[in-house]
């Protein structure tokens, strides 16, 4: 039987172990004065360059772990100088790196430019990960321990979706920037998802609710959430046949909006499991994401569950 958030009691959610299968990369961020970026041969950006472990899978796993969930991490990194850095970071967090395999030649990397007005430009080098299959036996081992699977839209997950679906475990996924409900790359992920997240950045003037409606007609997801930046988030709950808008709030000064979508997604999954109420979950998720963007990196600025509850009480 598929587990839903409304079937889980709030006082037992801590037993909800989550498998997160997705990208881990080494991320370098650079604070700039603004876009467009004019050419110059060199600049001395003191205290404006920051390098950390990141990637959608890592960000979501770290956020969920910080919020109190046992997490099984599934990913691939390179057999290179960055591998021990990733493994040490996971160990320090308390997340096992047994499911993080040194399968690739090089670990994926990213460079992110961000400006004071919130604009950012992300450059990602996925190395060999899109052409590499994950160990199905190891994946099955990790899946058996979990009650929910976060399946990020990285290519190696495509072949594993059917196994998760057959297990009856709910699938949560974020397809990020989407311009077409029939998008060829993301179609498999959207069709498998019980909880589907996306950004409005690819709409190019299309009406958000109508776009979500098209997604639901094609894929019949339980819940669809569209992150809308300064406009908050828009959600459709199939069980209630209802749209719900959660307005954006400001909880502290914005430094870098990169990773805001990962934070919104992670906190919603947490709230869906702990509260059993998607509307309250989205309200909490907006607050969690708002707080997160007061930090430089995509994997920084996560509140724990107690801190999130306190923030929710003070920012109604």
């Amino acid at each position: 039987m598929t587990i839903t958030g409304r079937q889980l009691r709030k006082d037992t959610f801590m037993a909800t172990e989550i498998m997160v299968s997705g990208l881990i990369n080494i991320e370098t961020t650079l604070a700039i004065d603004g876009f467009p970026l004019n050419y110059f041969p060199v600049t001395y950006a003191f205290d404006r360059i920051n390098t950390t472990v990141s990637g959608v899978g890592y960000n979501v796993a770290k956020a969920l772990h910080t919020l109190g969930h046992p997490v099984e991490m599934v990913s691939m990194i390179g057999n290179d100088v960055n591998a021990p850095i990733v493994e040490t970071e996971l160990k320090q967090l308390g997340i096992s790196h047994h499911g993080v395999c040194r399968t690739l030649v090089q670990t994926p990397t990213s460079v992110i430019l961000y400006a004071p007005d919130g604009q950012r430009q992300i450059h990602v080098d996925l190395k060999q990960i899109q052409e590499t299959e994950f160990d199905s036996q190891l994946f099955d081992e990790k899946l058996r321990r979990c009650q929910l699977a976060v399946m990020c839209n990285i290519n190696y997950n495509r072949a594993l979706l059917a196994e998760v679906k057959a297990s009856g475990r709910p699938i949560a996924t974020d397809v990020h920037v989407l311009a077409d409900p029939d998008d060829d790359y993301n179609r498999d992920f959207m069709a498998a998802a019980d909880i589907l997240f996306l950004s409005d950045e690819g709409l190019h003037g299309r009406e958000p609710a109508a776009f979500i409606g098209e997604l639901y007609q094609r894929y019949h997801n339980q819940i669809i959430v569209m992150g809308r930046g300064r406009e908050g988030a828009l959600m459709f709950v199939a069980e209630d046949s209802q749209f719900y808008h959660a307005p954006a709030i400001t909880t502290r000064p914005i430094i870098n909006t990169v990773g805001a979508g990962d934070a919104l997604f992670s906190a919603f999954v947490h709230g869906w499991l702990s509260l059993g109420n998607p509307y309250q979950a989205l309200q909490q998720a907006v607050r969690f994401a708002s707080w997160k963007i007061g930090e430089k990196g995509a994997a920084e600025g996560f509140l724990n569950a107690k801190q999130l509850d306190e923030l929710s009480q003070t920012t109604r």
Side-chain angles (χ1 to χ4, degrees):
M1 174 184 290
T2 298
I3 302 167
T4 69
R6 291 180 180 182
Q7 291 170 331
L8 294 175
R9 289 167 36 198
K10 183 179 180 181
D11 60 354
T12 61
F13 90 96
M14 295 294 283
T16 305
E17 190 158 358
I18 300 171
M19 184 185 71
V20 178
S21 184
L23 177 68
I24 298 177
N25 64 252
I26 301 297
E27 171 190 282
T28 297
T29 59
L30 168 63
I32 63 173
D33 294 330
F35 292 101
L37 183 64
N38 295 322
Y39 171 77
F40 41 80
V42 64
T43 182
Y44 295 93
F46 294 111
D47 297 320
R48 294 197 292 170
I49 299 175
N50 190 44
T51 299
T52 60
V53 178
S54 188
V56 175
Y58 178 84
N59 299 344
V60 172
K62 182 177 179 179
L64 288 168
H65 176 78
T66 304
L67 286 164
H69 295 272
V71 171
E72 290 286 343
M73 185 76 218
V74 173
S75 190
M76 292 184 283
I77 57 176
N79 190 21
D80 59 6
V81 295
N82 288 318
I85 297 172
V86 172
E87 292 165 355
T88 299
E89 285 291 313
L90 289 170
K91 183 178 180 180
Q92 289 178 347
L93 283 174
I95 298 175
S96 170
H97 63 76
H98 177 248
V100 179
C101 304
R102 295 191 183 192
T103 310
L104 311 176
V105 177
Q106 294 177 293
T107 300
T109 57
S110 66
V111 176
I112 301 170
L113 312 181
Y114 65 95
D117 64 359
Q119 286 188 303
R120 76 281 191 276
Q121 187 178 76
I122 304 171
H123 304 262
V124 181
D125 183 350
L126 294 172
K127 306 301 183 184
Q128 308 85 30
I129 201 168
Q130 292 294 74
E131 297 81 42
T132 307
E133 294 182 0
F134 192 81
D135 182 335
S136 60
Q137 184 174 348
L138 179 57
F139 180 84
D140 181 64
E141 176 188 327
K142 295 296 182 182
L143 179 62
R144 285 198 304 268
R145 299 180 183 180
C146 301
Q147 293 174 279
L148 180 145
V150 172
M151 301 292 285
C152 302
N153 66 335
I154 197 75
N155 205 39
Y156 71 81
N157 274 337
R158 192 182 310 278
L160 303 169
L161 290 169
E163 181 178 347
V164 184
K165 208 68 178 172
S167 75
R169 290 163 175 79
I171 294 174
T173 194
D174 186 347
V175 295
H176 307 285
V177 180
L178 188 73
D180 181 359
D182 289 318
D183 181 78
D184 184 59
Y185 180 86
N186 286 297
R187 188 182 301 121
D188 294 338
F189 295 95
M190 293 188 285
D194 298 287
I195 297 174
L196 174 62
F197 265 63
L198 69 150
S199 164
D200 71 349
E201 291 180 284
L203 295 192
H204 304 301
R206 298 182 64 179
E207 205 279 319
F211 193 89
I212 290 175
E214 289 185 49
L215 290 172
Y216 178 70
Q217 290 301 316
R218 284 165 172 77
Y219 306 113
H220 306 289
N221 318 93
Q222 289 184 36
I223 295 169
I224 303 174
V225 178
M226 179 183 288
R228 303 204 60 214
R230 292 184 177 89
E231 300 298 320
L234 181 65
M235 174 174 65
F236 178 74
V237 180
E239 183 178 353
D240 302 329
S241 298
Q242 181 173 316
F243 281 94
Y244 173 74
H245 174 247
I249 62 171
T250 301
T251 54
R252 60 175 175 165
I254 297 170
I255 294 177
N256 187 0
T257 60
V258 68
D262 297 343
L264 185 77
F265 176 54
S266 305
F268 179 85
V269 170
H270 161 75
W272 184 72
L273 292 170
S274 61
L275 301 170
N277 183 311
Y279 307 102
Q280 292 177 347
L282 189 60
Q283 291 169 6
Q284 277 202 344
V286 167
R287 287 163 173 77
F288 185 85
S290 171
W291 184 264
K292 179 264 165 296
I293 59 178
E295 297 287 347
K296 295 179 181 178
E300 299 174 331
F302 300 139
L303 298 170
N304 62 36
K306 181 181 178 181
Q307 292 167 332
L308 178 57
D309 286 341
E310 291 172 351
L311 183 66
S312 298
Q313 292 298 320
T314 58
T315 57
R316 291 185 178 277

